[in-house]
């Protein structure tokens, strides 16, 4: 409910400006997407070059680095698209 209220407020405030549009799209636009389109979008936007690993609390930093390398070290990703 909170997200719906937020989107309705943005729509009302920004009127026809693109900032007033829903970020996820309409039910129709989401239903029309193919797996290949979703995968292509993911691969063009999500890359190690634009992600951040954040950790809070008491951690063993060396072990954290080892685990991050084990879990994510193989991920090269594509260059990040700005379009």
């Amino acid at each position: 409910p909170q997200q719906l209220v937020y989107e309705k407020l943005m729509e009302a405030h920004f009127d026809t400006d693109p900032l007033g549009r829903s970020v996820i799209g309409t039910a129709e636009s989401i239903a029309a997407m193919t797996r290949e389109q979703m995968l292509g979008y993911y691969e063009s936007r999500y890359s190690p070059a634009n992600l951040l690993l954040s950790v809070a609390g008491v951690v063993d930093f060396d072990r954290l680095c080892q685990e991050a390398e084990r879990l994510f070290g193989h991920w090269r990703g594509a260059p990040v698209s700005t379009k």
Side-chain angles (χ1 to χ4, degrees), residues 1-15 19-21:
Q2 180 180 353
Q3 184 64 31
L4 180 60
V5 170
Y6 173 78
E7 288 190 12
K8 291 296 181 188
L9 286 170
M10 293 294 284
E11 184 181 315
H13 179 76
F14 288 106
D15 196 25
L19 288 174
R21 296 184 196 149

Side-chain angles (χ1 to χ4, degrees), residues 39-57:
L39 186 58
Y41 180 85
Y42 177 86
E43 289 175 346
S44 72
R45 297 283 193 236
Y46 294 86
S47 171
N50 68 353
L51 294 177
L52 171 73
L53 175 62
S54 179
V55 180

Side-chain angles (χ1 to χ4, degrees), residues 14 16 19 21 27 29-30 34-35 52 64 66 68 78 82:
F14 288 106
T16 58
L19 288 174
R21 296 184 196 149
S29 67
I30 298 300
T34 66
R35 180 187 187 281
L52 171 73
L64 171 69
Q66 290 170 356
T82 58

